[in-house]
Amino acid sequence: MRTFEDSYRHKGLRKKLVDLLQSKGISDERVLEAINTIPRHFFLDSAFDEKAYEDKAFPIAVGQTISQPYTVAYQTQLLDLKPFDKVLEIGTGSGYQAAVLGEIGVQVFTIERQKALYDQLKSFPWLKKYNKIKFFYGDGFEGLPTYAPFDKILITAAAPYVPARLVEQLKTGGYMVIPLGETGAGKVQRMLRLTKTAGGGYTEEVFDNFSFVPMLGGRDGKGG
Ligand code: SAH
């Protein structure tokens, strides 16, 4: 069950979380403001009511997680968003990262491969206030060719390799933020930012290590 009441206590906890993220090196004001605004506890079971403002990942449905706030902030900051950016997110999960992008005001296309998670978002009317977010049920490895090209692509699951179809769907000069590497016990992924070059290839910048759930191929149709 979820509760959709945002109290002064929640707001206070959020401000503390924002201060913590700032002390960890997040400096993009729009990212901090979005995190300060969005009730993260709306995205979790009511059992996590106050825990929602700890800087931790938590379980959502079907063995997936809502990313740690620091990770969300870090990836969003790396996107270096511009006002009219068209952003493709792979791995909608709880919808929290999409809401952060929506709050910043960019156009968001987000894909989830787990039907149960995708369906859950339809019964989450609070997200409807972000009319620039479009939700898709599908395989992120394929991207969304119909809506391409994108200014930015954000992958929020551990990618085993750089998906070629996603590079194709990026504009020249556009960024792909991707945690790359194997998953499993003790495994971490390197955060990369790829910049698409005019020839269709890309250059890469390497950032810190993180730990994500795996990016898997195909769609999982089991409802929850
Ligand atoms: N951005 C999410 C993080 C969710 S964790 C949030 O803010 O909560 C990663 C998500 O990626 C999971 O929900 C998982 O089901 C999804 N995922 C994994 N592989 C995928 C793929 N190929 N296409 C789309 N989504 C995928």
Side-chain angles (χ1 to χ4, degrees):
M1 216 197 63
R2 301 202 199 177
T3 42
F4 297 107
E5 192 214 324
D6 192 28
S7 67
Y8 282 105
R9 170 106 183 116
H10 292 122
K11 291 188 172 83
L13 291 169
R14 250 181 348 256
K15 181 70 183 69
K16 280 197 186 143
L17 173 61
V18 166
D19 292 344
L20 175 69
L21 296 177
Q22 225 165 352
S23 75
K24 286 177 141 183
I26 303 300
S27 57
D28 188 323
E29 288 295 334
R30 297 164 304 170
V31 176
L32 295 168
E33 191 48 43
I35 289 174
N36 196 37
T37 305
I38 301 166
R40 188 172 183 249
H41 66 286
F42 286 8
F43 295 78
L44 289 162
D45 189 271
S46 57
F48 294 96
D49 185 59
E50 294 206 352
K51 282 184 136 344
Y53 298 103
E54 291 176 14
D55 189 22
K56 288 183 183 159
F58 289 110
I60 51 173
V62 286
Q64 302 304 320
T65 54
I66 179 171
S67 298
Q68 186 182 341
Y70 176 66
T71 307
V72 171
Y74 192 99
Q75 290 197 290
T76 311
Q77 179 163 290
L78 281 182
L79 288 176
D80 190 19
L81 295 168
K82 303 287 182 264
F84 298 103
D85 274 353
K86 231 171 100 181
V87 182
L88 174 64
E89 180 196 18
I90 309 300
T92 317
S94 67
Y96 179 73
Q97 169 74 69
V100 168
L101 296 169
E103 190 64 41
I104 290 173
V106 295
Q107 212 184 335
V108 185
F109 297 79
T110 181
I111 314 179
E112 174 56 54
R113 71 177 287 279
Q114 294 278 358
K115 184 82 162 52
L117 291 176
Y118 170 78
D119 286 344
Q120 203 172 56
L121 290 166
K122 282 191 285 198
S123 57
F124 189 3
W126 188 82
L127 267 180
K128 289 209 168 65
K129 74 184 192 118
Y130 299 112
N131 56 16
K132 286 206 263 180
I133 306 180
K134 288 194 169 64
F135 296 91
F136 298 86
Y137 167 51
D139 178 3
F141 280 102
E142 300 298 320
L144 289 174
T146 321
Y147 297 90
F150 299 95
D151 298 286
K152 311 280 161 71
I153 297 180
L154 171 60
I155 302 186
T156 71
Y161 54 86
V162 176
R165 309 236 21 220
L166 296 185
V167 176
E168 278 170 24
Q169 293 171 35
L170 199 55
K171 283 186 193 168
T172 300
Y175 286 152
M176 184 189 306
V177 171
I178 171 171
L180 189 72
E182 291 172 28
T183 51
K187 294 266 169 50
V188 290
Q189 299 87 44
R190 275 173 306 142
M191 191 69 76
L192 303 183
R193 182 167 65 187
L194 314 180
T195 305
K196 176 132 175 211
T197 54
Y202 55 83
T203 57
E204 72 180 57
E205 298 166 271
V206 181
F207 296 90
D208 296 320
N209 287 337
F210 288 85
S211 177
F212 284 84
V213 296
M215 181 173 175
L216 303 170
R219 295 192 292 180
D220 190 322
K222 287 191 281 296

